[in-house]
Amino acid sequence: MIQHERSCGRPRSLRGAAGVFRLAGLALLSLPVLLVPVLLGQSGAQAGEPAAPAPARSLPPLQVTIDLADVDLAQGELTLRMSRPAARVTLKALSLSGEVLAEAEQHFDATPAGSALVVHWSPPEQAVARIEVYGYDVNDYFKGVAITPWSFEIPHEDVVFETDSADIRASEASKLQASLALIQKQLPRARQLGTITLFIVAHTDTVASAEYNQELSTRRAQALARWFRGHGLKLPIAYSGMGERALKVKTADEVDEPKNRRADYMLGLEPPRFKSSGATPSWTKI
């Protein structure tokens, strides 16, 4: 990973294009810097003036880390950590087209390295595709991190399967054709973000055992994934069965609830999270 640090002004005063390096779901920005001479080993301050910041070579590498689980777009909140005492953090939330939807700057009073730094912004109405975060240490050195929490849930009419079956009947194919058209329409708008995956999750109601429903939902999710692949969809596809672990309508056991028999089709760079149920899908790629 390449990183550049420099004691300088705000990121918007920089010139040049930023490179992007991806690691564990985060895009680490290699930030462009102004070519300003830096005196190493002496401050250059006159008698009675404050000392200049310590040279970069005497400091540990500046790291800014964000776990996607600590990003809440609905509430406009994320948590990050820095490897040096923190002075401030700036943030920009961008749309899919690159429009700035929200900005924030939060100051920290030399908060110790490794502490949880919570940053808030006003959640915009438009979907956030990218968030750029710059963390500044107490010497005004900075590091930038970009995350891409973008996802798109495909609105669709659910395929109706026969009891105990994962076969897609010919009468249901038109529903999938409509979903395929929506996916292909959305893809060109998001490809600049990175590698987009279609995630397919199938669910059941609570009739029958949890083990049986888990197996049935997995077979149905696989059938849907294979249909999209067989009809020309070239992007990565991952599927998972959730059985009755993420009910849309909470019910008792052995309740026939049509709203719980459903599938989700989602485009994204990262696997979707089911925060309400806490369930974690196990993904299979095709």
Side-chain angles (χ1 to χ4, degrees), residues 25-37:
L26 299 180
L28 303 182
L29 294 179
S30 174
L31 298 173
V33 298
L34 295 175
L35 298 179
V36 179

Side-chain angles (χ1 to χ4, degrees), residues 151-170:
S151 64
F152 182 78
E153 185 169 355
I154 306 298
H156 65 279
E157 186 178 359
D158 277 313
V159 170
V160 177
F161 292 93
E162 292 183 339
T163 302
D164 194 30
S165 173
D167 295 331
I168 299 174
R169 293 175 292 175

Side-chain angles (χ1 to χ4, degrees), residues 55-70:
R57 65 171 57 174
S58 67
L59 300 173
L62 177 58
Q63 299 294 337
V64 176
T65 58
I66 303 173
D67 187 331
L68 288 178
D70 294 329

Side-chain angles (χ1 to χ4, degrees), residues 66-134:
I66 303 173
D67 187 331
L68 288 178
D70 294 329
V71 179
D72 190 331
L73 296 179
Q75 296 298 320
E77 177 182 298
L78 64 75
T79 301
L80 68 144
R81 287 173 169 79
M82 293 176 55
S83 63
R84 299 180 193 162
R88 61 190 173 100
V89 174
T90 65
L91 175 148
K92 281 186 180 181
L94 308 171
S95 71
L96 195 59
S97 65
E99 176 188 358
V100 177
L101 302 177
E103 292 186 85
E105 180 169 342
Q106 201 153 327
H107 290 260
F108 299 90
D109 187 15
T111 303
S115 302
L117 308 173
V118 181
V119 180
H120 300 271
W121 68 93
S122 297
E125 293 184 2
Q126 192 173 344
V128 174
R130 177 182 172 91
I131 299 176
E132 296 179 355
V133 179
Y134 295 85

